[in-house]
C-alpha cells in the first residue's frame, strides 16, 4: 500500500485522508505527507472512534479514503460502502 501511495503516480501531499483500521508504519509515514484522520470501531490510539456504516463526518470532508482489510468484517458492507461514497 505504501508503494502505491508514494510511487504509483498518486499525490496525497495535499489531501485530507480518512484511514480506517490504520497500520502503524503506513499511518506514521502518511502523516508526514497528508492530513490524516484515523478511525475504527474498536482500535485504541485512533483519532475518531466510529461505525463505518454511520460516520461522524460531514459529506465531502475527505479527498481520499483508505479502507483495507475492513469490509470483510462488516455485516452490511453495502451500507459501509454507501457511507464512504
Amino acid at each position: 500500500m505504501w508503494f502505491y501511495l508514494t510511487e504509483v503516480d498518486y499525490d496525497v501531499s495535499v489531501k485530507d485522508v480518512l484511514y480506517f483500521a490504520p497500520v502503524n508504519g503506513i499511518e506514521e509515514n502518511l502523516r508526514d505527507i497528508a492530513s490524516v484522520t484515523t478511525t475504527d470501531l474498536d482500535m485504541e490510539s485512533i483519532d475518531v472512534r466510529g461505525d463505518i456504516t454511520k460516520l461522524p463526518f460531514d459529506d465531502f470532508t475527505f479527498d481520499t479514503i483508505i479502507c483495507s482489510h475492513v469490509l470483510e468484517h462488516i455485516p452490511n458492507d453495502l451500507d459501509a460502502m454507501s457511507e464512504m461514497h
Side-chain angles (χ1 to χ4, degrees), residues 57-71:
F57 307 107
D58 292 334
D59 291 348
F60 307 107
T61 299
F62 301 97
D63 301 308
T64 300
I65 296 174
I66 299 174
C67 182
S68 180
H69 300 288
V70 173
L71 293 176

Side-chain angles (χ1 to χ4, degrees), residues 3 7 9-10 15-16 18 21 23 27 30-33 36-37 39 46 49 52-53 61 68 77 80 84-85:
F3 175 78
E7 303 294 331
D9 195 27
Y10 185 79
K15 302 289 184 183
D16 292 313
L18 179 62
V23 175
E27 175 193 350
L30 190 58
R31 285 187 187 276
D32 289 340
I33 62 171
V36 179
T37 301
T39 187
I46 53 167
R49 186 168 310 283
I52 194 171
T53 65
T61 299
S68 180
D77 60 346
M84 287 187 286
H85 181 263

Side-chain angles (χ1 to χ4, degrees), residues 2-36:
W2 185 247
F3 175 78
Y4 178 79
L5 291 172
T6 58
E7 303 294 331
V8 184
D9 195 27
Y10 185 79
D11 180 15
V12 295
S13 62
V14 294
K15 302 289 184 183
D16 292 313
V17 178
L18 179 62
Y19 191 1
F20 287 93
V23 175
N24 285 339
I26 294 172
E27 175 193 350
E28 292 165 5
N29 289 328
L30 190 58
R31 285 187 187 276
D32 289 340
I33 62 171
S35 173
V36 179

